[in-house]
Amino acid sequence: QVQLVESGGGLVQPGGSLRLSCAASGITFSSNHMAWYRQAPGKERELVARVTSTGNTNYADSVKGRFTISRDNAKNTVYLQMNAMKPEDTAAYYCHARNFYNNYQHWGQGTQVTVSS
């Protein structure tokens, strides 16, 4: 059974930092491109950051220079370090895995991030 379990969400003040983690099981982690998406109330889900199986990364323009995605293949875990956070970063954040051989995709259950004073 595939599981992507996110953790690390919570309430943070503007300018603060959070680190999200996503622990994967039931997949061959190294064969998956991993990503973080987010969805704010009333908005569509959007890509925040992606890291390929080889470690290449790309980011949404809105988070470039503030967020960093990384992966640890030995721990089957992907991270999202979020710095200089803004109220507009408030959303549910979802972990996503896509197998680059068969294109199978999986989602985590999401973790809420709220940026507010």
Side-chain angles (χ1 to χ4, degrees), residues 53-70:
S53 60
T54 56
N56 293 320
T57 59
N58 63 284
Y59 298 89
D61 287 343
S62 58
V63 307
K64 281 181 181 176
R66 300 188 299 121
F67 290 11
T68 302
I69 189 170
S70 61

Side-chain angles (χ1 to χ4, degrees), residues 70-108:
S70 61
R71 63 190 294 160
D72 186 335
N73 287 347
K75 295 182 178 180
N76 287 1
T77 300
V78 61
Y79 305 96
L80 185 68
Q81 178 67 45
M82 303 184 291
N83 299 327
M85 297 186 72
K86 304 175 181 180
E88 50 264 43
D89 295 322
T90 295
Y93 283 71
Y94 297 89
C95 182
H96 177 263
R98 181 173 66 83
N99 188 296
F100 59 77
Y101 288 116
N102 56 30
N103 213 36
Y104 287 173
Q105 301 183 52
H106 305 281
W107 291 94

Side-chain angles (χ1 to χ4, degrees), residues 25-58:
S25 59
I27 61 173
T28 304
F29 188 75
S30 59
S31 297
N32 280 263
H33 302 314
M34 301 299 297
W36 289 95
Y37 286 75
R38 68 185 180 188
Q39 187 168 19
K43 295 188 176 182
E44 293 187 354
R45 192 171 294 189
E46 63 174 358
L47 175 68
V48 176
R50 177 185 290 118
V51 57
T52 69
S53 60
T54 56
N56 293 320
T57 59
N58 63 284

Side-chain angles (χ1 to χ4, degrees), residues 8-12 18 20 82 85 89-93 111-115:
L11 174 64
V12 64
L18 280 177
L20 304 183
M82 303 184 291
M85 297 186 72
D89 295 322
T90 295
Y93 283 71
T111 185
Q112 180 65 36
V113 171
T114 302
V115 184

